[in-house]
């Protein structure tokens, strides 16, 4: 059983998952049933024209996210979260009871008001929904937890949209819709009653109803951390793309694929299922880690499949009035495939960003950070609507040309993300490369701290040592490296960005500077790795530790962790043949082990103790 599936059936996650699923599902049932009723209502029964009504509906649902998200973030940090969620779900029941009256009486003006109240309830629920996860889950469970949440959310959107179409087509549809939204709201409340307690993150906060001041404070908090702010902007960009595609699917399907209303639902299903499977695939590929290198790569995949989806549309298609004929038309299968892969790329793009944001946010500000995300999401979705209006109505682009424009914009965003995460992308390629060259077994990696500084001490067998360690750790490791290698012109700039600390044993000034950098990095909560032998082993045994390590240990205030590399002696990159990289490689897929030892408290760490610990961990020479 995978970590995702086992997590799904635990009480600390499952009731929360069901609660948020029914919330998203009910939102989409209500909104889409209302829009379908409006589309087929007579002009005399509507307070305004149907086009104006639909635009008003979209605006009234989004408006509360601007008005109330920041205040909701403060409340979610101030109060115990499970009780807060139950109150929000009770509010949903009350709103749905009013909505049911609106459906039964066909009071479209009242239903517009209900839509605004629904947006308000969603804005209040949003911050506590994502802020709860880091409290209930272990750090290693954040990625699978977010993958399941995104899967549930997009499946709820899909099923809610399809369910709305089914309800709207039935006899007594208004009465059925009225009963359904109340029942689903009640089921969400019942699930929320099983959510375990989650203590208040910042009970000392004083709350006064000042939405403008709250919004300013919330946005300031989000901008104070560059990683969080960039994550928010990247997530909001994803919602910009998603809103742009979803808005145009009906007209695109009708005008360019010649499909019916059910064909629109099919495209929505492909996109949503793709996102859901991409979210779960990310968790599976990364083994539940936040792998930032996949973010820009997933962005490039979005660009590729988005461009193909926009440009590879078959010409001279017949009208597919029959749904079976539409889905069985082989000429359309590449288009379906590009859309599905576009969704999968989006799922792999979004999961690490949510997990990273939750991980980096301060505990007493986490809900407010999520509130800032909701504000930016809403802003970007409004901008997506403006882009659609300008591109299609002012510039008179076609819908495929708009999709192509989105792919170009996304390429620019992906390049910017690549610039932000070059080291992590390289780490990902290093991981793939080392797994291609070796069969790597990792033992006791949980000894490496998820946060805070630590000094890593490792035996030095080959030129691949740093790459293997870097690929094994889900955190960036700063390596102390010989100055000649660190300053090699081709890679010097990249190594500086990777945080390499250069040292030259023959120059006292570089030694003092390196020691200072190591000390500062550990104070900053970073991982620093030293190969204390100072050179590759000539015989497979651990060599005497170099002078100067005792100075680093005396100034070290972080735990010291020994790490043993096994199986590399005899490899092409070791000195097995006298010098490394001699002759032709003769062994592929050798078994290599990375074993992490017990952390040693800094006050107990000395050269003799570390050499003994590393020798015992390493075992006999190979």
């Amino acid at each position: 059983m995978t970590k995702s599936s086992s997590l799904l059936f635990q009480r600390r996650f499952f009731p929360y998952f069901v609660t948020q699923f029914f919330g998203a599902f009910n939102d989409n049932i209500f909104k889409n049933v209302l829009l379908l009723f409006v589309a087929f209502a007579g002009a005399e029964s509507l307070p305004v024209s149907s086009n104006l009504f639909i635009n008003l509906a979209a605006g009234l649902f989004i408006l509360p996210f601007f008005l109330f998200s920041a205040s909701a973030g403060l409340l979610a940090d101030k109060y115990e979260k499970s009780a807060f969620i139950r109150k929000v779900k009770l509010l949903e029941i009350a709103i749905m009871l009013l909505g049911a009256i609106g459906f039964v009486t066909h009071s479209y003006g009242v239903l517009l008001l209900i839509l605004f109240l629904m947006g308000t309830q969603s804005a209040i629920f949003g911050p506590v929904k994502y802020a709860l996860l880091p409290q209930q889950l272990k750090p290693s469970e954040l990625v699978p937890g977010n993958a399941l949440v995104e899967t549930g959310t997009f499946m709820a959107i899909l099923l809610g949209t399809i369910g709305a179409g089914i309800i709207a087509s039935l006899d007594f549809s208004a009465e059925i819709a009225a009963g359904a939204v109340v029942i689903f709201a009640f089921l969400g409340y019942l699930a929320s009653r099983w959510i375990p307690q989650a203590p208040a993150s910042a009970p000392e906060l004083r709350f006064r109803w000042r939405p403008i001041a709250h919004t300013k404070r919330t946005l300031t908090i989000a901008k104070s951390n560059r990683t969080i702010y960039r994550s928010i902007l990247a997530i909001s960009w994803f919602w910009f793309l998603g809103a742009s595609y979803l808005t145009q699917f009906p007209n695109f399907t009708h005008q360019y694929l010649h499909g019916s209303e059910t064909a629109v639902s099919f495209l929505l299903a492909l996109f949503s299922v793709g996102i859901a499977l991409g979210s779960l695939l990310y968790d599976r590929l990364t083994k539940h880690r936040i792998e930032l290198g996949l973010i820009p790569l997933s962005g490039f995949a979005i660009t590729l499949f988005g461009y193909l989806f926009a440009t590879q549309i078959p010409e001279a298609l017949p009208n597919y009035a029959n749904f079976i004929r539409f889905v069985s038309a082989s000429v359309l299968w590449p288009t379906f495939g590009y859309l599905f892969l576009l969704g999968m790329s989006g799922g792999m793009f979004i999961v690490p960003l949510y997990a990273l944001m939750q991980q980096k946010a301060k505990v007493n500000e986490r809900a407010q950070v999520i509130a800032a995300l909701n504000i930016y999401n809403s802003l970007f979705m409004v901008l997506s609507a403006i882009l659609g209006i300008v591109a299609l109505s002012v510039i008179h682009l076609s819908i495929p040309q708009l999709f192509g424009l989105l792919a170009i914009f996304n390429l620019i965003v992906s390049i910017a993300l690549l610039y932000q995460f070059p080291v992590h992308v390289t780490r990902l390629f290093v991981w793939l490369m080392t797994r291609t060259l070796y069969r790597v077994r990792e033992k006791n990696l949980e000894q490496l701290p998820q946060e805070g500084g630590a000094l890593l001490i490792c035996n030095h067998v080959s030129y691949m040592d740093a790459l293997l360690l870097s690929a094994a750790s889900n955190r960036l490791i700063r390596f102390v490296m010989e100055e000649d290698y660190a300053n090699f012109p081709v890679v010097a700039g990249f190594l500086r960005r990777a945080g390499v600390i250069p040292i030259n044993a023959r120059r006292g000034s570089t030694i003092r500077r390196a020691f200072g950098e190591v000390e500062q990095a550990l104070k900053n909560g970073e991982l620093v790795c030293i190969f204390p032998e100072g050179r590759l082993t000539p015989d497979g045994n651990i060599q005497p530790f170099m002078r100067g390590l005792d100075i680093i240990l005396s100034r070290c205030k972080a735990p010291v962790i020994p790490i043993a590399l096994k199986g590399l002696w005899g490899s092409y990159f070791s000195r097995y043949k006298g010098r490394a990289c001699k002759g032709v490689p003769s062994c592929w897929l050798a078994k290599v082990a990375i074993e992490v030892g017990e952390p040693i408290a800094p006050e107990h760490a000395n050269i003799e103790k570390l050499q003994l610990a590393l020798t015992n961990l390493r075992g006999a020479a190979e």
Side-chain angles (χ1 to χ4, degrees):
M1 182 178 287
T2 65
K3 184 169 287 191
S4 296
S5 57
S6 63
L7 184 62
L8 186 59
F9 297 106
Q10 296 183 34
R11 189 189 165 190
R12 58 198 173 98
F13 183 80
F14 183 67
Y16 157 85
F17 177 83
V18 174
T19 300
Q20 71 87 27
F21 176 88
F22 273 118
F25 178 73
N26 211 21
D27 276 357
N28 282 275
I29 287 282
F30 187 96
K31 284 189 298 183
N32 287 291
V33 166
L34 175 57
L35 294 179
L36 287 170
F37 282 175
V38 168
F40 291 96
E44 67 282 355
S45 62
L46 296 176
V48 293
S49 69
S50 61
N51 285 334
L52 179 57
F53 189 100
I54 290 172
N55 287 322
L56 278 173
L60 285 173
F61 187 78
I62 290 178
L63 181 61
F65 287 91
F66 290 104
L67 298 178
F68 307 127
S69 287
S71 300
L74 282 169
L75 291 170
D77 277 332
K78 180 174 176 60
Y79 294 109
E80 193 276 317
K81 291 180 176 58
S82 65
F84 185 77
I85 288 175
R86 287 192 291 274
K87 291 174 183 176
V88 174
K89 300 308 287 184
L90 283 173
L91 176 62
E92 181 183 348
I93 293 175
I95 293 170
M96 288 300 115
L97 285 170
L98 292 175
I101 295 171
F103 277 138
V104 172
T105 60
H106 302 282
S107 303
Y108 291 101
V110 171
L111 290 171
L112 271 181
L113 173 63
I114 299 304
L115 204 57
F116 174 81
L117 294 177
M118 279 182 56
T120 301
Q121 186 266 342
S122 297
I124 295 172
F125 183 55
V128 71
K129 177 175 77 171
Y130 281 104
L132 180 72
L133 274 181
Q135 283 188 248
Q136 303 287 48
L137 305 183
K138 301 171 186 176
S140 62
E141 295 172 332
L142 264 185
V143 168
N146 277 281
L148 287 170
V149 168
E150 294 310 306
T151 299
T153 298
F154 280 94
M155 294 310 296
I157 292 171
L158 170 63
L159 295 175
T161 304
I162 294 173
I166 294 172
I167 290 172
S169 65
L170 297 174
D171 294 332
F172 307 105
S173 55
E175 290 76 11
I176 294 172
V181 294
V182 173
I183 290 171
F184 293 137
F186 186 70
L187 290 174
Y189 170 72
L190 285 181
S192 73
R193 293 190 61 83
W194 290 89
I195 296 175
Q197 281 201 341
S201 304
E204 73 284 353
L205 283 174
R206 297 181 62 186
F207 182 83
R208 292 181 181 177
W209 187 252
R210 300 169 60 191
I212 296 176
H214 292 166
T215 300
K216 290 180 179 179
R217 168 191 164 92
T218 297
L219 296 180
T220 300
I221 289 172
K223 291 179 179 179
S224 64
N225 184 303
R226 290 177 63 188
T227 301
I228 290 175
Y229 187 57
R230 288 169 178 169
S231 298
I232 286 174
L233 292 179
I235 293 170
S236 297
W237 171 252
F238 170 80
W239 284 102
F240 177 97
L241 287 177
S244 300
Y245 280 108
L246 294 176
T247 301
Q248 304 306 328
F249 274 174
N251 286 336
F252 173 75
T253 306
H254 175 67
Q255 296 174 17
Y256 294 92
L257 303 184
H258 303 293
S260 61
E261 290 83 354
T262 51
V264 177
S265 298
F266 177 69
L267 291 190
L268 174 63
L270 281 176
F271 190 60
S272 300
V273 172
I275 291 174
L277 291 180
S279 300
L280 296 175
L281 178 62
Y282 174 88
D283 177 50
R284 192 70 178 268
L285 286 176
T286 62
K287 298 182 179 179
H288 323 303
R289 305 192 316 189
I290 301 176
E291 184 54 71
L292 301 182
L294 272 176
I295 296 173
L297 296 183
S298 300
F300 286 120
I302 291 172
T303 295
L304 172 64
F305 296 121
Y307 179 78
L308 291 172
F309 179 66
T311 58
Q312 302 301 307
I313 301 169
E315 297 181 357
L317 292 171
N319 285 321
Y320 297 104
N322 184 287
F323 174 69
I324 300 300
R325 287 186 59 204
F326 179 78
V327 297
S328 59
S330 58
V331 70
L332 289 174
W333 290 353
T335 302
F336 299 157
Y338 298 143
L339 179 59
F340 179 76
L341 292 171
L342 173 62
M344 282 193 69
S345 304
M348 297 183 70
F349 180 83
I350 199 75
V351 168
L353 290 167
Y354 272 111
L356 178 65
M357 180 182 60
Q358 292 163 350
Q359 183 190 72
K360 295 297 183 181
K362 295 178 182 177
V363 172
N364 61 345
E365 295 177 346
R366 194 174 282 138
Q368 295 169 77
V369 167
I370 303 299
L373 171 66
N374 287 344
I375 294 170
Y376 276 100
N377 281 352
S378 304
L379 175 61
F380 274 61
M381 290 170 73
V382 170
L383 291 175
S384 76
I386 293 173
L387 174 66
I389 292 170
V390 171
L392 301 178
S393 301
V394 178
I395 306 177
H396 299 293
L397 296 180
S398 66
I399 295 177
Q401 286 173 332
L402 172 60
F403 289 166
L405 186 64
L406 291 174
I408 293 171
F409 287 163
N410 190 73
L411 177 62
I412 296 170
V413 171
S414 301
I415 292 172
L417 287 170
L418 179 61
Y419 180 77
Q420 297 300 326
F421 300 117
V423 176
H424 297 88
V425 174
T426 304
R427 249 183 90 254
L428 182 61
F429 281 117
V430 165
W431 184 90
L432 292 171
M433 180 183 70
T434 55
R435 266 54 181 180
T436 302
L437 294 174
Y438 306 108
R439 287 176 289 172
V440 182
R441 181 172 62 88
E442 298 162 346
K443 187 175 180 181
N444 300 330
L445 283 186
E446 67 276 4
Q447 302 281 15
L448 296 177
Q450 292 297 315
E451 56 186 26
L455 180 64
L456 313 181
I457 303 294
C458 184
N459 60 316
H460 204 6
V461 189
S462 77
Y463 285 132
M464 295 297 292
D465 296 351
L467 299 181
L468 284 162
L469 290 175
S470 180
S473 171
N474 64 344
R475 295 178 59 192
L476 182 67
I477 299 175
R478 297 188 63 181
F479 290 92
V480 178
M481 180 181 290
E482 173 60 42
E483 189 177 49
D484 291 343
Y485 296 124
N487 291 334
F488 193 69
V490 177
V491 294
F494 172 77
L495 292 178
R496 279 196 297 273
R497 292 203 62 173
V500 162
I501 300 171
I503 190 170
N504 188 330
R506 298 180 299 276
R507 294 173 56 191
S509 60
T510 68
I511 295 174
R512 289 189 296 272
R513 184 180 69 242
F515 287 1
E517 283 194 53
V518 170
E519 183 179 9
Q520 188 59 48
L522 294 173
K523 285 181 180 178
N524 293 341
E526 299 176 274
L527 298 181
V528 178
C529 182
I530 295 177
F531 297 105
E533 299 159 90
R535 60 192 177 95
L536 299 186
T537 176
D539 55 12
N541 290 302
I542 294 176
Q543 305 301 301
F545 285 7
M546 62 183 178
R547 292 180 301 166
L549 180 61
D550 52 347
I551 299 175
I552 294 177
L553 293 174
S554 68
R555 298 163 66 173
C556 177
K557 305 299 181 186
V560 183
I561 303 176
I563 302 177
L565 293 173
K566 308 175 187 180
L568 285 166
W569 178 247
S571 72
Y572 180 68
F573 301 99
S574 71
R575 293 179 61 187
Y576 179 73
K577 296 180 179 179
R579 62 179 176 84
C581 305
K582 182 179 179 181
V584 178
S586 57
C587 182
W588 294 94
L589 292 176
K591 292 181 179 179
V592 171
I594 303 171
E595 184 170 351
V596 182
E598 292 279 346
I600 300 171
E603 61 270 18
H604 298 144
N606 56 57
I607 288 181
E608 293 76 18
K609 189 169 186 175
L610 286 173
Q611 187 148 10
L612 178 62
L614 192 56
T615 301
N616 291 337
L617 196 65
R618 166 66 177 75
E622 297 161 280

